[in-house]
Amino acid sequence: MVRVQEIPLNQIKRPLPRGNDPHKVQALMESIAAIGQQEPIDVLEVDGQYYGFSGCHRYEACQRLGKETILARVRKAPRSVLKMHLA
């Protein structure tokens, strides 16, 4: 089951660091500031913790804009699924 909700940015763990394209982040910042976030990021909820593996540019854009929350598609998953993402 997947639900879409606002999640506090500071509650999302990003275990796989990624280098973002600064031009794409800037473009997203301008878009989000003007019309809001249009596409949710995807997060896994495992044992009440949120883990983000995609939406890196949107996540950074929201962070840099000082947003406290981000729109996310949340999928509950067991720890075994989290381990597959970390492998």
Side-chain angles (χ1 to χ4, degrees):
M1 182 175 112
V2 176
R3 66 186 187 280
V4 176
Q5 68 184 73
E6 293 280 336
I7 302 224
L9 281 167
N10 64 4
Q11 289 185 14
I12 300 173
K13 298 178 190 310
R14 305 218 34 113
L16 302 177
R18 223 179 111 181
N20 289 336
D21 176 344
H23 300 292
K24 186 173 180 180
V25 171
Q26 183 62 41
L28 281 166
M29 287 174 66
E30 292 168 11
S31 173
I32 291 168
I35 62 172
Q37 182 187 348
Q38 299 299 297
E39 181 67 25
I41 65 168
D42 294 302
V43 298
L44 287 177
E45 182 183 353
V46 178
D47 298 332
Q49 302 276 329
Y50 298 109
Y51 296 88
F53 295 96
S54 66
C56 301
H57 290 89
R58 285 168 282 164
Y59 179 87
E60 183 177 336
C62 286
Q63 265 190 326
R64 291 181 53 194
L65 286 168
K67 302 275 186 189
E68 292 188 16
T69 62
I70 190 166
L71 189 62
R73 272 185 296 270
V74 180
R75 181 169 56 103
K76 282 194 173 211
R79 192 156 289 281
S80 60
V81 171
L82 176 61
K83 287 180 182 174
M84 286 189 329
H85 282 278
L86 296 173

